[in-house]
């Protein structure tokens, strides 16, 4: 947001502040990304371009430069994709698009993407146990890609534990997909619980506050 990495908390974007991390003294995207990769050799980093999601600008040029700098690390980017042109713009910039249900206006976009060769992720975004976006999206798992994010915004940055129930329910609808649980991970026990169920995970707060160490990640 506004060119800086911010600490997301419960989806209350008006209250997000620049990141304060034990991993680095900076909230600039390049510094934060390098600090994360110094902690552990992650294969992918997830970025929410909040200004693009909110329709007030874009950080695409910055993200393209970051993707070139970090290659071969894959950069997953939710930039509020609303149509095929938005999706193709991310792909052309060397980024892996994340289509968020929050900004998905029409299921026909997912139908169109079934004919595209470049992989993408679908983020199923929930707040107060309700899907943000078209309700009918949950009834058409045949349109979902092979990688899914189960995002509970109420748990992001809240240290309430991951929403295992939500992840399990979505995995049942798409048994062949790889599902990533986002929001709430507090430490190694939560990570182990997700790992035991075969779920991937999006991590942020527990890395930046030191609740998860390199040794914790390596053992799992």
């Amino acid at each position: 947001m506004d060119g800086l990495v911010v600490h997301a908390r419960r989806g209350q974007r008006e209250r997000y502040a620049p990141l304060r991390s034990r991993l680095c003294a900076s909230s600039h995207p390049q510094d934060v990304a390098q600090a994360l990769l110094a902690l552990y050799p992650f294969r992918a980093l997830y970025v929410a371009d909040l200004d693009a999601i909110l329709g007030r600008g874009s950080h695409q040029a910055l993200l393209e430069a970051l993707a070139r700098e970090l290659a071969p690390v894959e950069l997953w980017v939710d930039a509020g994709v609303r149509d095929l042109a938005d999706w193709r713009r991310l792909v052309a910039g060397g980024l892996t698009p994340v289509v968020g249900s929050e900004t998905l206006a029409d299921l026909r976009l997912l139908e169109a993407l079934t004919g595209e060769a470049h992989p993408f992720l679908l983020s199923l975004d929930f707040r107060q146990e309700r899907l943000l976006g078209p309700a009918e999206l949950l009834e058409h798992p045949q349109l979902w890609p092979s990688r899914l994010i189960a995002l509970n915004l109420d748990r992001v940055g809240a240290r309430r534990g991951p929403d295992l129930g939500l992840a399990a329910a979505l995995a049942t609808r798409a048994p062949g997909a790889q599902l990533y649980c986002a929001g709430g991970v507090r430490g190694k026990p939560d990570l182990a619980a997700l790992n035991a169920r075969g779920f991937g995970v999006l991590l942020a707060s527990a890395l930046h506050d030191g609740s998860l160490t390199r040794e914790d990640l390596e053992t799992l």
Side-chain angles (χ1 to χ4, degrees):
M1 181 182 284
D2 297 327
L4 298 176
V5 178
V6 294
H7 192 168
R9 297 179 188 272
R10 297 183 174 90
Q12 299 170 354
R13 292 168 182 158
E14 71 281 357
R15 302 178 64 182
Y16 289 2
L19 177 71
R20 298 180 65 182
S21 173
R22 293 188 179 187
L23 302 180
C24 64
S26 168
S27 58
H28 291 282
Q30 293 91 338
D31 296 333
V32 174
Q34 291 293 354
L36 288 168
L37 294 174
L39 174 68
Y40 188 79
F42 297 107
R43 294 191 298 270
L45 296 180
Y46 166 92
V47 181
D49 185 342
L50 294 170
D51 290 316
I53 290 171
L54 295 170
R56 62 185 195 193
S58 168
H59 294 98
Q60 174 134 350
L62 183 155
L63 293 171
E64 289 179 9
L66 191 60
R68 291 192 295 270
E69 178 183 337
L70 300 180
V73 175
E74 190 178 12
L75 213 61
W76 300 352
V77 176
D78 183 346
V81 170
R82 292 168 174 83
D83 55 35
L84 196 56
D86 287 343
W87 185 90
R88 286 176 172 162
R89 193 176 302 114
L90 291 174
V91 171
L95 308 170
T96 297
V98 175
V99 177
S101 66
E102 176 184 359
T103 54
L104 180 65
D106 195 320
L107 296 192
R108 285 178 292 184
L109 173 60
L110 295 181
E111 293 175 353
L113 291 179
T114 59
E116 298 286 341
H118 195 87
F120 70 101
L121 294 93
L122 174 64
S123 181
L124 296 160
D125 307 328
F126 286 78
R127 178 182 280 125
Q128 297 179 356
E129 301 183 358
R130 296 188 62 181
L131 178 73
L132 301 179
E136 62 271 23
L137 177 59
L138 295 177
E139 306 306 320
H140 294 279
Q142 75 277 9
L143 297 177
W144 300 357
S146 61
R147 293 187 291 181
L148 304 170
I149 297 171
L151 173 58
N152 184 331
L153 283 165
D154 299 309
R155 301 200 183 201
V156 170
R159 298 191 62 81
R160 292 176 52 196
D163 194 338
L164 294 172
L166 173 63
L170 295 176
T172 298
R173 291 175 181 263
Q178 173 61 61
L179 190 137
Y180 298 87
C181 190
V185 170
R186 296 161 293 193
K188 187 176 179 179
D190 288 336
L191 204 58
L194 290 164
N195 190 56
R197 291 164 173 79
F199 298 141
V201 60
L202 266 62
L203 296 169
S205 299
L207 299 177
H208 292 296
D209 68 16
S211 298
L212 278 171
T213 66
R214 183 185 183 96
E215 290 73 23
D216 294 332
L217 297 171
E218 287 175 342
T219 59
L220 293 167

